[in-house]
Amino acid sequence: MTTIGFIGLGIMGAPMADHLVNAGHKVVTHTHKSPVPNDLKTKGVEELASLKAVAEASDVVIMIVPDTPQVEAVLFADDGIASGLSAGKLVIDMSSISPIDTKAFAEKVAALGCDYVDAPVSGGEVGAKAASLTIMVGATDEGFARAKPLFDLMGKNITHVGPIGAGQTTKVANQIIVALNIEAVAEALLFASKAGADPAKVREALMGGFASSKVLEIHAERMINRTFDPGFRIRLHQKDLNLALQNAKEMGISLPNTATAQELFNSCASHGGADDDHSGLVKALERMANHKVAD
Amino acid sequence: MTTIGFIGLGIMGAPMADHLVNAGHKVVTHTHKSPVPNDLKTKGVEELASLKAVAEASDVVIMIVPDTPQVEAVLFADDGIASGLSAGKLVIDMSSISPIDTKAFAEKVAALGCDYVDAPVSGGEVGAKAASLTIMVGATDEGFARAKPLFDLMGKNITHVGPIGAGQTTKVANQIIVALNIEAVAEALLFASKAGADPAKVREALMGGFASSKVLEIHAERMINRTFDPGFRIRLHQKDLNLALQNAKEMGISLPNTATAQELFNSCASHGGADDDHSGLVKALERMANHKVAD
């Protein structure tokens, strides 16, 4: 049994913490906005007085919070996690945040004698509940070995991609490809529809060839059937592409199509679509063209 | 046995015609630049004096030539195919050309009492030789029924997508998605590599998730292993994206990422890469970033 400080009992975090408790671990937390969910409280998840107290009480601290500033605040605010760390503890960040900032956070945590593992996930609420998350891990070999038994309780496809930061880097790469594959399918279906072809038949004809992708399988169908309930919300993908573009700028690389995809997401948000599924990106192209893929 | 006029005995056309001859059909042709290949001559493929004579002698005319202007010239030049057509003949264009021009050509052919089928292919030289081409067909039901037995001799995945023009539309949609999926993977791998992650491990971690695609499987590996032998040449993909952008402009739709991908292909061509495989698109992004995905 490990004592785990778990910060961020939201839509993703609550079911993840539940799996840890069910496996016999002790989970402590300090909540920011909402109280500890009742079912977790019943199972013994304990609220402590501060993040500092959580770090002091725990062997391992796991965070899953919205974005880079929240991770920074959880770790380094007054009475934050860092203030309660002592040598030999392990910090695992399962949020999706900046790879560059991750490396800086890990250095400050290392200065306290603690290992740091970045382990963002994909698979959403469904994957969190089913303990079938994909977990992309950046870590030292020691850090990975120590975190792995906990990851096994929460996920299925667990890859140690590389050194600290590589997990976040992989998650950003994933979100770049997914956004641009959605944009690709949107351009192609719009072209086909405007030219008078049936987009559903075009999609069928392209499946299995070089154009085939998970996005052609799933998101193209949403565009054709006009089912834009999330899924994965445009506002979350905007956050991820912001990470991509900010880090690209800091590293000195150009991501022209990621930039365009972000502008298209921005346009969707301007038209009230921030909570649409990310396949709703097609609507921005449709507005530009004054033509819909399907009605 | 059908007498087939076959125009365009090039890298693709020669093996395709060979399959027709082997199935017992009579093939006649009129060549423009090169003479009839010797093996086809031996098998009885006959060169006639003009395109007009080919049309007069044939029940079905098949064309596979480089681009829209060549199809137009074959059909409508003085002594071209159209001048030898009489009611009831069938014209099949297996070239990859403009969907909009295709519809105009078909109308002119229909005015002569002949059916027109557009049936561009994918699968390349390998698919042509193995008779395993993917064939995307735009046709009337009657036209498709008549052409299908011939397609069965040349291809495997044969889809009647819709009315005349729908075959070319589907081919363009395919080429948009393939180019943009290549561009997506190039941006993501460049990001990952510059951030210090191993692009091969990132690729592995992403396979099977929402970022997965045929392009992530095949073209990402070429970018990582630096194997840019075609494959499918950048100069051909430039031609296809030109069709996409020209037709989009004529139809009044915007394809922002297709436009960027074309500019990146143009940059590759400027650096001597027109005959690289299209995965070589990554080099244009690498030059912009002054960083390579791999060495």
Side-chain angles (χ1 to χ4, degrees):
Chain A
M1 193 204 77
T2 307
T3 301
I4 300 165
F6 200 106
I7 308 302
L9 296 173
I11 290 173
M12 297 294 291
M16 291 164 71
D18 190 45
H19 298 309
L20 298 174
V21 172
N22 293 341
H25 296 295
K26 170 77 183 164
V27 171
V28 299
T29 189
H30 176 73
T31 58
H32 175 55
K33 281 188 196 161
S34 323
V36 178
N38 274 329
D39 59 327
L40 288 179
K41 211 184 268 180
T42 310
K43 290 185 179 179
V45 172
E46 201 178 334
E47 164 103 39
L48 304 186
S50 68
L51 292 166
K52 184 180 178 184
V54 168
E56 286 170 347
S58 305
D59 308 305
V60 177
V61 174
I62 296 177
M63 301 174 286
I64 182 158
V65 296
D67 204 349
T68 312
Q70 287 79 33
V71 170
E72 186 167 28
V74 165
L75 287 174
F76 303 115
D78 290 345
D79 290 326
I81 292 294
S83 66
L85 289 176
S86 51
K89 300 197 176 193
L90 175 66
V91 173
I92 304 173
D93 180 24
M94 304 188 77
S95 320
S96 291
I97 71 161
S98 159
I100 291 175
D101 289 322
T102 289
K103 289 176 207 168
F105 297 163
E107 277 178 31
K108 287 168 83 172
V109 165
L112 302 171
C114 300
D115 215 340
Y116 190 99
V117 171
D118 54 299
V121 302
S122 73
E125 190 180 350
V126 173
K129 284 184 174 161
S132 66
L133 292 168
T134 293
I135 307 180
M136 297 153 262
V137 189
T140 61
D141 288 341
E142 298 74 28
F144 182 71
R146 206 165 149 198
K148 180 68 163 43
L150 300 179
F151 293 154
D152 286 333
L153 299 172
M154 299 183 281
K156 282 236 170 79
N157 300 303
I158 299 153
T159 310
H160 183 194
V161 185
I164 293 164
Q168 298 296 352
T169 296
T170 304
K171 178 72 191 284
V172 172
N174 184 74
Q175 296 304 82
I176 289 172
I177 293 176
V178 173
L180 297 192
N181 284 7
I182 287 173
E183 210 281 340
V185 163
E187 289 198 14
L189 292 184
L190 185 64
F191 183 94
S193 168
K194 181 76 181 190
D198 177 348
K201 288 211 176 153
V202 170
R203 174 181 166 278
E204 264 180 61
L206 300 188
M207 296 277 283
F210 277 108
S212 68
S213 67
K214 205 75 174 172
V215 163
L216 184 66
E217 192 185 323
I218 292 172
H219 299 77
E221 199 161 48
R222 293 179 188 164
M223 294 178 201
I224 293 164
N225 296 339
R226 314 309 282 181
T227 51
F228 296 118
D229 301 328
F232 188 80
R233 290 170 202 274
I234 281 177
R235 72 166 80 250
L236 293 174
H237 220 143
Q238 284 179 287
K239 180 211 123 186
D240 291 335
L241 295 193
N242 186 49
L243 286 178
L245 294 168
Q246 286 292 331
N247 277 263
K249 181 166 179 291
E250 285 184 50
M251 295 191 298
I253 68 170
S254 298
L255 303 179
N257 282 2
T258 300
T260 301
Q262 180 74 314
E263 297 303 331
L264 296 172
F265 281 140
N266 292 347
S267 167
C268 291
S270 299
H271 286 79
D275 289 310
D276 275 359
D277 183 68
H278 49 175
S279 55
L281 179 143
V282 71
K283 292 184 187 175
L285 291 173
E286 289 175 341
R287 276 187 295 268
M288 290 166 78
N290 196 25
H291 176 85
K292 286 187 178 182
V293 165
D295 281 311
Chain B
M1 193 204 79
T2 308
T3 300
I4 300 165
F6 200 106
I7 308 303
L9 296 172
I11 289 172
M12 297 294 292
M16 289 163 73
D18 190 46
H19 297 310
L20 299 174
V21 173
N22 291 342
H25 296 295
K26 169 77 184 162
V27 171
V28 298
T29 188
H30 176 72
T31 59
H32 176 55
K33 282 187 190 160
S34 324
V36 178
N38 274 329
D39 59 327
L40 289 179
K41 213 184 269 180
T42 310
K43 292 186 180 179
V45 172
E46 201 178 331
E47 165 102 40
L48 303 186
S50 68
L51 292 166
K52 184 181 179 182
V54 169
E56 287 169 345
S58 306
D59 308 302
V60 176
V61 175
I62 295 176
M63 302 174 284
I64 181 159
V65 296
D67 204 348
T68 312
Q70 287 79 33
V71 171
E72 185 166 30
V74 165
L75 287 174
F76 303 114
D78 292 345
D79 291 326
I81 292 294
S83 66
L85 288 177
S86 50
K89 301 199 175 192
L90 174 66
V91 174
I92 303 173
D93 179 25
M94 304 188 77
S95 321
S96 292
I97 71 161
S98 159
I100 291 175
D101 289 322
T102 288
K103 290 175 208 169
F105 298 163
E107 277 178 31
K108 289 168 81 171
V109 166
L112 302 170
C114 299
D115 215 341
Y116 189 98
V117 171
D118 55 300
V121 303
S122 72
E125 189 181 352
V126 172
K129 285 185 174 160
S132 66
L133 292 168
T134 293
I135 307 180
M136 294 153 266
V137 189
T140 60
D141 288 342
E142 299 73 29
F144 182 71
R146 206 165 150 199
K148 181 69 165 41
L150 300 178
F151 293 153
D152 286 333
L153 299 171
M154 299 183 280
K156 283 235 169 83
N157 300 304
I158 299 152
T159 311
H160 183 195
V161 185
I164 294 164
Q168 298 295 353
T169 296
T170 304
K171 179 71 192 284
V172 172
N174 184 73
Q175 296 304 82
I176 289 172
I177 293 176
V178 173
L180 298 192
N181 284 6
I182 287 173
E183 210 279 344
V185 163
E187 290 198 14
L189 292 183
L190 186 63
F191 183 94
S193 167
K194 181 75 179 190
D198 177 347
K201 289 211 174 153
V202 170
R203 174 180 166 279
E204 264 180 61
L206 299 188
M207 298 274 284
F210 278 108
S212 67
S213 67
K214 205 75 174 170
V215 163
L216 184 66
E217 193 186 321
I218 292 171
H219 300 78
E221 198 161 50
R222 292 180 188 161
M223 295 177 201
I224 293 165
N225 297 339
R226 315 308 285 178
T227 51
F228 296 117
D229 302 330
F232 188 80
R233 289 172 203 273
I234 280 176
R235 73 166 78 251
L236 293 174
H237 219 143
Q238 284 179 287
K239 181 209 122 187
D240 292 335
L241 294 193
N242 186 49
L243 286 178
L245 294 168
Q246 287 292 330
N247 277 264
K249 179 165 180 292
E250 285 185 51
M251 295 191 296
I253 68 169
S254 298
L255 304 178
N257 282 1
T258 300
T260 301
Q262 181 74 315
E263 296 302 331
L264 295 172
F265 281 141
N266 292 348
S267 168
C268 291
S270 298
H271 285 81
D275 289 310
D276 276 358
D277 182 69
H278 49 175
S279 56
L281 178 145
V282 71
K283 292 184 189 175
L285 291 173
E286 290 175 339
R287 276 187 294 270
M288 290 166 79
N290 194 26
H291 176 84
K292 286 188 177 180
V293 164
D295 282 310

